[in-house]
Amino acid sequence: MSEIYVKMNEYSKAHAIFDEIITDISNNQIKDTNCLVRLYNSMGTCYSEQKNFAKAEEYHLKGLQILQDVEDKDSDNYLSRLSTIYMDLAAIAISQNHIDDAIKYSEMCIKNFEDLYEKNPEKYVNKLSAVLNNTSVLHEKIDDFSKAEEYYLKAYSMRKTSYEAYPEIYALDYIQSINNLTGYYKKTSQYDKALEFAYENLSLSKQLFEKDNYVYRKSYAKALYNIVLLNMRLGEYSKAIEYLLSCKDQEEILYRQDPVANDISYAQLLDMLSDYYSKNKDFEKGLSFQSKVVEIYENLYHKNHDAYAIEYANALHNAALSYMEIRKLDTSLNIMEKAINIISELQKSQPRLSKEHKASYLKVTASIYVNLQQWDKADSCYLQALKCYEELVRIAPEAYYYDLVNAKYNYATYLVETGNNKAYDILTDVNKELSEMTSETYDSNMQQCHFLTKFLMAQIQFLIFVKEFHQS
């Protein structure tokens, strides 16, 4: 009954029953070992659900101690129950970010399941492969990539064998292992290896299409998406766009079948297409995709403002940039003002992110005003952006100092173009700040900014000289 209450989140009722049973234990009324192990594990689970991890660990360890006193340590039942406790202890360690402890318990669990798997592969393949995958993730967290790869490959090999024997049962598990290896090799910059597994997923998912259109179509779309990203990393842009268009077709079908489950992945795909065409100067085509991105994130934003404000504002920002390129400046301006208003709403809940995006949007808005020759408004936007970056630098200097210097440089460039003498003073300050930077923070971006600053200062001095020469 107590286990039912735990599953129903009725923890006080579960604890009341546990307390009664503990009293019986203390009075030696319960001596059955199996009952005691099950009781302590249930209590551990109950405390875990309540986030009382110290108590949870205490009771799981009590159950473990009793179980380890059992004589028949070679029985399958003993090893299976022992592994279950190790998995619970590993989960508790993960919840507290005690990665070394989580690995220790997971490795114990793997050893037991490997023994069981040798005796009965069909029964234990799922449990062993799942633990191997989970332990791989833990090894990645401590940068033990060789062990992570070893376990991912073991799980993959086991699931492949199971799939070949029983394709109907193990197809999705096999695909998951393929995706795990794709992700692992992508994360470790082994793009050729990642691509091999992505193509394997593509081929497998395509074969399974007819058996369950939605599930395997989703897997097929994911494989296409990975192939797009990996080809881009390898500089194979023509291949990337070919697969990107195929992926778009699949995501569109999935979106029509279930808009709620697929809206974000579809929007991300369309955003990539928009970016591709915009970079290739086909802004009209890019806008045809970006408009749909804006529509999707607008719907999500109206359902949950805080969760989707950044995505919606960014979608508007990207659309505004394209409208600016095709000289629809009023449309671009209206969209940017909307983006700024949306991102400003996050000032209370996410002040740093709000300020960071707002500063970037203000710089774009300033550029639009420059194109419209509305100098006062452009000046105001540049100064607001500078103020945002100055506030961000006070919060996190290393993260935002380059942005501040770059914003000052942009503002000074604008002032040069409008013949404002303040430009030289601003650039002098920037040059002084860059000259005083330490080698740790003076990276390639800063070097480029420093060079451009000096170049622009020389240009201003030349213009002043020419102007004075003509006046004399």
Side-chain angles (χ1 to χ4, degrees):
M1 190 69 189
S2 57
E3 292 176 350
I4 295 172
Y5 282 131
V6 170
K7 289 178 182 178
M8 294 171 62
N9 298 332
E10 296 279 356
Y11 302 119
S12 59
K13 292 179 181 178
H15 278 302
I17 294 174
F18 287 141
D19 289 340
E20 288 181 21
I21 299 172
I22 289 171
T23 302
D24 291 339
I25 292 171
S26 62
N27 295 329
N28 292 317
Q29 293 179 25
I30 297 178
K31 296 182 180 179
D32 182 84
T33 302
N34 289 330
C35 180
L36 287 172
V37 172
R38 187 173 177 179
L39 168 69
Y40 284 133
N41 286 338
S42 295
M43 292 176 74
T45 301
C46 185
Y47 280 116
S48 284
E49 292 293 330
Q50 294 176 286
K51 311 298 182 190
N52 188 340
F53 298 117
K55 276 287 186 185
E57 185 177 20
E58 176 188 335
Y59 280 103
H60 279 306
L61 287 172
K62 281 184 179 181
L64 180 65
Q65 183 60 54
I66 293 169
L67 188 62
Q68 286 175 329
D69 290 338
V70 173
E71 291 182 9
D72 187 8
K73 290 183 170 59
D74 294 326
S75 72
D76 291 358
N77 184 53
Y78 168 77
L79 290 175
S80 180
R81 294 176 71 190
L82 191 64
S83 298
T84 300
I85 297 175
Y86 285 146
M87 283 194 290
D88 289 334
L89 287 166
I92 292 167
I94 291 167
S95 298
Q96 299 174 94
N97 202 33
H98 297 163
I99 305 302
D100 289 337
D101 286 341
I103 289 174
K104 177 184 74 176
Y105 290 122
S106 297
E107 298 280 2
M108 292 176 180
C109 191
I110 286 171
K111 184 180 182 304
N112 290 337
F113 276 137
E114 281 179 336
D115 292 341
L116 293 167
Y117 176 76
E118 283 183 16
K119 297 176 186 177
N120 192 339
E122 288 180 27
K123 184 175 179 180
Y124 291 103
V125 62
N126 284 338
K127 287 184 177 179
L128 176 55
S129 59
V131 175
L132 284 166
N133 283 328
N134 292 338
T135 311
S136 292
V137 174
L138 295 173
H139 280 292
E140 283 189 71
K141 285 180 182 293
I142 61 168
D143 295 336
D144 186 356
F145 296 111
S146 61
K147 203 68 176 174
E149 182 182 20
E150 177 191 333
Y151 285 166
Y152 276 134
L153 286 168
K154 271 188 181 179
Y156 163 80
S157 179
M158 290 163 51
R159 287 177 170 180
K160 184 176 183 178
T161 301
S162 298
Y163 168 74
E164 288 168 350
Y166 305 100
E168 297 285 342
I169 299 173
Y170 292 105
L172 288 175
D173 290 331
Y174 180 32
I175 286 171
Q176 184 195 44
S177 273
I178 294 171
N179 286 332
N180 287 342
L181 280 162
T182 305
Y184 168 77
Y185 286 124
K186 184 166 62 176
K187 192 184 297 182
T188 53
S189 303
Q190 300 178 68
Y191 302 126
D192 288 325
K193 283 187 178 180
L195 204 53
E196 286 177 26
F197 285 102
Y199 279 124
E200 185 177 353
N201 184 15
L202 188 72
S203 174
L204 179 60
S205 297
K206 194 171 185 180
Q207 291 172 31
L208 298 167
F209 238 48
E210 300 304 318
K211 302 186 180 185
D212 186 332
N213 264 351
Y214 182 81
V215 172
Y216 293 114
R217 188 184 296 278
K218 202 163 179 64
S219 176
Y220 184 65
K222 183 172 184 176
L224 286 166
Y225 184 72
N226 280 328
I227 290 168
V228 170
L229 294 179
L230 291 164
N231 273 305
M232 284 184 170
R233 295 282 175 87
L234 291 166
E236 298 285 351
Y237 297 109
S238 58
K239 283 185 182 178
I241 190 61
E242 175 190 336
Y243 283 103
L244 186 58
L245 290 167
S246 297
C247 189
K248 176 252 178 190
D249 292 340
Q250 298 305 320
E251 288 287 355
E252 193 168 5
I253 294 167
L254 290 166
Y255 179 70
R256 287 202 300 268
Q257 288 179 336
D258 189 349
V260 175
N262 297 288
D263 45 11
I264 293 175
S265 58
Y266 184 43
Q268 289 172 340
L269 226 292
L270 293 173
D271 196 47
M272 285 179 71
L273 277 164
S274 174
D275 183 60
Y276 171 82
Y277 285 110
S278 295
K279 283 179 178 175
N280 286 276
K281 308 301 180 185
D282 191 346
F283 300 108
E284 296 281 1
K285 188 98 177 238
L287 274 168
S288 69
F289 294 115
Q290 193 62 36
S291 299
K292 185 65 180 176
V293 177
V294 170
E295 180 189 319
I296 291 171
Y297 281 123
E298 183 175 22
N299 290 334
L300 289 168
Y301 170 74
H302 288 311
K303 292 175 186 175
N304 189 332
H305 278 46
D306 282 357
Y308 294 103
I310 290 173
E311 285 83 357
Y312 181 33
N314 278 339
L316 289 167
H317 162 262
N318 292 338
L321 289 175
S322 291
Y323 277 116
M324 187 165 66
E325 291 290 347
I326 60 175
R327 309 303 295 171
K328 292 188 177 180
L329 298 175
D330 289 334
T331 303
S332 180
L333 183 62
N334 290 336
I335 292 172
M336 278 312 307
E337 287 176 346
K338 189 173 185 179
I340 290 170
N341 289 335
I342 289 164
I343 211 69
S344 297
E345 292 174 7
L346 290 178
Q347 181 58 38
K348 288 184 179 179
S349 60
Q350 300 181 62
R352 181 170 163 178
L353 273 175
S354 173
K355 213 173 287 295
E356 180 183 323
H357 284 80
K358 186 178 179 180
S360 177
Y361 298 167
L362 282 164
K363 288 200 297 181
V364 174
T365 309
S367 297
I368 299 170
Y369 279 125
V370 168
N371 279 282
L372 290 167
Q373 297 186 5
Q374 296 184 28
W375 312 116
D376 289 344
K377 290 182 178 179
D379 199 79
S380 173
C381 287
Y382 276 125
L383 289 173
Q384 287 180 65
L386 280 172
K387 184 180 177 184
C388 288
Y389 284 126
E390 285 167 354
E391 291 171 359
L392 286 165
V393 164
R394 284 196 287 273
I395 298 168
E398 290 185 6
Y400 294 106
Y401 188 74
Y402 171 73
D403 294 311
L404 174 60
V405 169
N406 189 253
K408 286 182 177 180
Y409 173 78
N410 289 337
Y411 182 46
T413 305
Y414 154 75
L415 292 173
V416 169
E417 291 172 357
T418 56
N420 192 316
N421 292 332
K422 282 197 303 183
Y424 193 81
D425 294 336
I426 292 170
L427 287 168
T428 301
D429 290 340
V430 172
N431 184 51
K432 184 173 182 293
E433 289 170 358
L434 288 167
S435 299
E436 292 173 353
M437 288 187 71
T438 60
S439 57
E440 290 81 17
T441 52
Y442 192 73
D443 58 14
S444 58
N445 286 329
M446 292 296 189
Q447 288 174 13
Q448 183 183 12
C449 198
H450 202 173
F451 170 77
L452 291 171
T453 300
K454 289 178 177 178
F455 176 78
L456 197 55
M457 288 174 71
Q459 191 178 25
I460 294 170
Q461 286 179 319
F462 177 74
L463 291 172
I464 292 170
F465 169 77
V466 171
K467 187 176 179 181
E468 290 175 350
F469 178 79
H470 284 297
Q471 287 176 345
S472 61

